Amino acid sequence: DVKVTQSSRYLVKRTGEKVFLECVQDMDHENMFWYRQDPGLGLRLIYFSYDVKMKEKGDIPEGYSVSREKKERFSLILESASTNQTSMYLCASSGRSSEMNNEQFFGPGTRLTVL
Amino acid sequence: KQEVTQIPAALSVPEGENLVLNCSFTDSAIYNLQWFRQDPGKGLTSLLLIQSSQREQTSGRLNASLDKSSGRSTLYIAASQPGDSATYLCAADSWGKFQFGAGTQVVVTP
């Protein structure tokens, strides 16, 4: 059974803290994604990675950075957390973009609250 | 830029009725169209993926169709059950990036 796991289901941090969100997939997927989901705004892409050490900005990269040192692991970093980064963060992975059956799989999500 | 729209935003039906959920997209140059289900506070669960060369895909009570020329996909859920209550999202895969609709929130009443 395919699996995407995220390091925490719930996280509470203080303004200004550095926050790490970890995501691991066991499907040997090339592509990995970080989204945030907010009521009324839907899913918005923060960053994605199409290979180890490769990354591309999504629609809302400001205030975030990412790291992909190993194929199975993709980390989202909030350098200095702010209250407007309180959100549900979802990690996903998919196979190579040119593949016909390129299904995207999601982790359970991390509900981050910044106080 | 690809834009994906889902109408209606919310839908309530009595148990046993068939559900019809709509998804439209602006750029027909897609690899795939994927349907997801999301329960409150949870991640997204993949339901069906339709490749760009396919017209429809079926899994159990679920059937999804794709018409690339008109930029539309429809998800049919037969004989709805209270357990089908959730938010349903569609996503268009354009060059490896997935553009999501805002979702349709479905309530199936017993």
Side-chain angles (χ1 to χ4, degrees), chain A residues 9 33 35 37 43 45 48 57 59 88 90 94 97-104 106-108, chain B residues 1 31-32 34 36 38 41-44 46 49 51-53 89 93 95-100:
Chain A
R9 290 286 284 123
F33 307 81
Y35 298 90
Q37 187 176 33
L43 257 77
L45 180 64
F48 75 100
K57 293 180 180 179
D59 300 319
M88 170 71 103
L90 292 163
S94 72
S97 305
S98 57
E99 290 174 356
M100 291 302 292
N101 203 22
N102 190 23
E103 196 169 353
Q104 192 174 50
F106 278 80
Chain B
K1 185 191 169 189
Y31 282 126
N32 305 298
Q34 193 170 356
F36 296 87
Q38 186 176 30
K42 302 283 178 66
L44 278 66
S46 179
L49 178 132
Q51 296 173 20
S52 61
S53 59
L89 297 97
D93 177 3
W95 306 102
K97 288 176 73 172
F98 295 78
Q99 192 67 38
F100 285 82

Side-chain angles (χ1 to χ4, degrees), chain A residues 18-20 34 46-47 55 61-67 74-79:
Chain A
K18 191 168 186 175
V19 182
F20 293 86
W34 275 107
I46 305 171
Y47 268 97
K55 61 185 180 186
E62 298 78 20
Y64 303 94
S65 62
V66 290
S67 171
F74 191 34
S75 302
L76 180 69
I77 303 150
L78 287 65
E79 295 290 343

Side-chain angles (χ1 to χ4, degrees), chain B:
Chain B
K1 185 191 169 189
Q2 179 75 272
E3 290 184 9
V4 179
T5 305
Q6 291 185 249
I7 295 173
L11 189 58
S12 181
V13 298
E15 183 177 2
E17 205 166 283
N18 296 333
L19 281 163
V20 181
L21 307 178
N22 298 302
C23 172
S24 61
F25 48 95
T26 54
D27 185 353
S28 62
I30 61 172
Y31 282 126
N32 305 298
L33 193 292
Q34 193 170 356
W35 282 93
F36 296 87
R37 169 191 171 128
Q38 186 176 30
D39 294 294
K42 302 283 178 66
L44 278 66
T45 300
S46 179
L47 296 174
L48 287 169
L49 178 132
I50 315 175
Q51 296 173 20
S52 61
S53 59
Q54 296 177 318
R55 298 282 292 182
E56 67 178 278
Q57 192 68 252
T58 298
S59 176
R61 294 185 294 113
L62 276 59
N63 175 276
S65 66
L66 176 64
D67 183 345
K68 276 182 58 178
S69 61
S70 66
R72 288 187 199 169
S73 178
T74 303
L75 178 67
Y76 302 89
I77 303 177
S80 61
Q81 303 168 1
D84 294 328
S85 298
T87 298
Y88 292 83
L89 297 97
C90 65
D93 177 3
S94 301
W95 306 102
K97 288 176 73 172
F98 295 78
Q99 192 67 38
F100 285 82
T104 295
Q105 187 174 13
V106 171
V107 173
V108 180
T109 54

Side-chain angles (χ1 to χ4, degrees), chain A residues 7-24:
Chain A
S7 50
S8 305
R9 290 286 284 123
Y10 300 94
L11 211 51
V12 179
K13 295 292 181 181
R14 298 234 173 250
T15 302
E17 276 192 80
K18 191 168 186 175
V19 182
F20 293 86
L21 302 182
E22 300 275 319
C23 175
V24 177

